[in-house]
Amino acid sequence: MSTDPIERVMRGLYSVALYLLAPITVYHLIWRGLRQPSYFLRWQERYAFYAERPEPPTLWLHAVSVGEVNAAVPLVNALRRSRPDLRLLVTTITPTGSERVQALWGKDVSHVYLPYDLPGAVSRFLTNYRPHAALIMETELWPNLLFGCRDHGIPALILNARLSERSLRGYRVLAPLVARALRTVRTVAAQSHADGERFIRLGASAEQVVEVGNLKFDVTVPENLAEFAALCRSHAGARPVWIAASTHEDEEMAVIAIHRRLRSIFPDLLLLWAPRHPERFRMVADTARTAGWQVSTRSRAQWPQPDDAVFVIDTLGELMSFYACADVAFVGGSLQAIGGHNLLEPAATGTAIVTGPHLHNFVEIAQRLQDAGAVRVVEDAEAVREALEELLRDPQARERMAAAGRALVETGRGALARTMALLQPLLPPVP
């Protein structure tokens, strides 16, 4: 335990505040559960009560939700290949993240929800799983969790670390505490020089921060991508296709309006629609039907039919494959201040990309794609429609963008090898 009296006081005040707010976590789970019933399940894990205690050695990786799980795929697969003797524990916070972990690796990795940042829950979690190291993806800076790793002698690393200016400002209230917690971390493996500088501004030392690149560039393209796309096209028929990917609730009416305008120009145009959150799957399909279109879904029809105007992708883990089925992609979370979503997946599949202006979670990636000519970043929904129309009319422009995106992804690879090199000294000897 720390002998720093200032740290003890700050941790004490922070923890008291969390315990006072603990009843709100129950209301939060109930409120989310009314929209997504899986939030009603496995509450004991949220407070770190477990029926079993696994045998070591365990390597623990935390990925908050689907995006972070997807970013961790190359790393988890590399660890499984190189160290099959290690038990891998992957934690998430959201049920969709949990479902993605189970879809990717099934019982080959363990999964529980990360507990709330209450000191008792953190201690129970770390005592139960006794991880050899803690690998925390991107920007999960929970003070009691980081202090708990130090107090239990568990080296912690922040991998694929990113920190936007907006997130940096968000930590302002807890900055003195977060800075101390951050200095307990063994290494901050930053995605970019700018991310590393922001972690230093938050409180990390320059010696802690290493620029390794973005693991998302090491994305694995599905082996059967061409066959999947050809099969989808054979069912849908020979016609233009666009995809609205990772859209949020406030973007849905814009997608409806865009599709209506585009179908007035391309009457047989098909929209593949993948809402960001599973609780929106049914609502999106119903909204499209109310708009007067024939709609089918992945879970029921498997493939879009020739008369479909909209095909809703209401499954997890297939978005990348469906990108390859589209002529052009709109990536959501960008017409409102969400911060955007992964632009590298459509780039890796060779799909021209259009996105809105709110990209603060992917500033560097968006800029690199824009500089390469692989993405069009536009200001609003009307500009999205105009860009989609232009690209649907111009197959040569789409191909140039697709080629630029694939090339950029290939040249950006390498973060996985550098990250694995950082981990090797921390892993237990091979038995």
Side-chain angles (χ1 to χ4, degrees):
M1 294 291 290
S2 170
T3 58
D4 179 356
I6 297 177
E7 178 193 309
R8 290 202 302 274
V9 170
M10 289 193 295
R11 285 182 68 181
L13 293 173
Y14 169 73
S15 298
V16 167
L18 288 184
Y19 277 119
L20 291 174
L21 294 171
I24 295 176
T25 64
V26 176
Y27 293 116
H28 172 76
L29 291 171
I30 293 172
W31 178 76
R32 293 302 300 265
L34 293 173
R35 305 176 68 187
Q36 191 175 348
S38 47
Y39 271 96
F40 284 125
L41 306 176
R42 299 162 57 189
W43 280 17
Q44 71 280 7
E45 295 174 14
R46 307 279 188 179
Y47 302 94
F49 292 104
Y50 309 105
E52 297 180 355
R53 185 175 186 178
E55 291 298 317
T58 294
L59 188 62
W60 163 44
L61 182 142
H62 175 61
V64 60
S65 192
V66 174
E68 291 78 9
V69 172
N70 287 340
V73 167
L75 177 61
V76 171
N77 288 343
L79 286 168
R80 290 180 61 211
R81 286 192 302 269
S82 64
R83 294 301 304 268
D85 58 297
L86 293 179
R87 181 190 303 271
L88 287 175
L89 169 68
V90 179
T91 58
T92 66
I93 287 178
T94 67
T96 52
S98 171
E99 290 166 14
R100 184 64 176 139
V101 170
Q102 292 166 8
L104 284 166
W105 301 297
K107 295 183 178 180
D108 292 334
V109 305
S110 300
H111 174 271
V112 293
Y113 289 124
L114 186 74
Y116 292 114
D117 201 37
L118 303 165
V122 168
S123 181
R124 287 192 297 274
F125 168 75
L126 296 175
T127 300
N128 190 72
Y129 287 101
R130 296 166 288 168
H132 196 83
L135 314 179
I136 300 170
M137 294 293 295
E138 299 202 355
T139 323
E140 283 288 277
L141 305 179
W142 295 105
N144 279 331
L145 186 68
L146 296 179
F147 286 127
C149 287
R150 179 202 61 191
D151 296 342
H152 284 76
I154 300 165
L157 298 87
I158 303 175
L159 303 182
N160 215 42
R162 66 178 175 90
L163 187 66
S164 67
E165 286 289 345
R166 182 178 180 178
S167 296
L168 181 61
R169 290 192 298 271
Y171 283 113
R172 188 177 300 157
V173 173
L174 293 174
L177 180 64
V178 172
R180 279 179 163 79
L182 191 54
R183 285 194 287 272
T184 69
V185 171
R186 175 74 62 95
T187 303
V188 177
Q191 292 185 14
S192 68
H193 180 75
D195 288 305
E197 287 296 316
R198 284 189 283 269
F199 272 98
I200 291 171
R201 286 163 55 193
L202 185 58
S205 68
E207 292 74 23
Q208 288 176 282
V209 177
V210 179
E211 182 183 343
V212 300
N214 193 331
L215 283 171
K216 290 179 180 177
F217 278 99
D218 288 282
V219 60
T220 301
V221 177
E223 292 182 3
N224 64 340
L225 193 66
E227 292 83 356
F228 185 99
L231 187 56
C232 181
R233 292 281 191 171
S234 71
H235 284 272
R239 54 187 174 133
V241 181
W242 73 289
I243 183 169
S246 298
T247 58
H248 289 252
E249 183 175 356
D250 291 344
E251 296 173 316
E252 290 168 6
M253 294 315 297
V255 172
I256 292 287
I258 289 168
H259 193 49
R260 178 175 286 113
R261 290 281 301 279
L262 290 175
R263 277 181 65 88
S264 70
I265 302 166
F266 311 97
D268 59 347
L269 179 67
L270 172 64
L271 165 61
L272 306 176
W273 195 347
R276 179 67 176 179
H277 298 115
E279 62 264 30
R280 300 300 301 171
F281 290 164
R282 179 178 295 180
M283 183 63 69
V284 160
D286 290 344
T287 301
R289 290 189 183 98
T290 301
W293 296 317
Q294 180 164 313
V295 179
S296 60
T297 66
R298 175 65 167 163
S299 62
R300 293 196 175 189
Q302 278 295 103
W303 299 106
Q305 301 305 304
D307 293 333
D308 287 341
V310 178
F311 181 76
V312 177
I313 304 163
D314 58 348
T315 53
L316 296 175
E318 295 190 302
L319 177 56
M320 196 165 176
S321 294
F322 276 105
Y323 275 130
C325 304
D327 298 304
V328 60
F330 164 68
V331 181
S334 59
L335 288 178
Q336 58 185 114
I338 299 296
H341 292 298
N342 190 350
L343 299 172
L344 293 175
E345 288 190 350
T349 62
T351 308
I353 309 164
V354 177
T355 184
H358 298 286
L359 299 170
H360 53 260
N361 289 332
F362 298 91
V363 172
E364 188 201 15
I365 287 174
Q367 189 61 57
R368 291 178 66 178
L369 286 166
Q370 204 169 5
D371 291 344
V375 65
R376 292 193 185 182
V377 180
V378 298
E379 289 303 313
D380 53 31
E382 177 59 19
V384 169
R385 184 201 63 77
E386 292 173 356
L388 290 171
E389 179 183 340
E390 290 175 12
L391 290 169
L392 288 169
R393 290 185 186 275
D394 192 343
Q396 288 78 25
R398 296 199 305 267
E399 183 51 40
R400 287 194 298 270
M401 293 178 71
R406 284 192 295 258
L408 183 64
V409 170
E410 286 304 313
T411 59
R413 294 183 186 276
L416 176 60
R418 290 186 284 272
T419 300
M420 288 292 289
L422 288 174
L423 298 184
Q424 289 303 327
L426 300 178
L427 300 180
V430 177

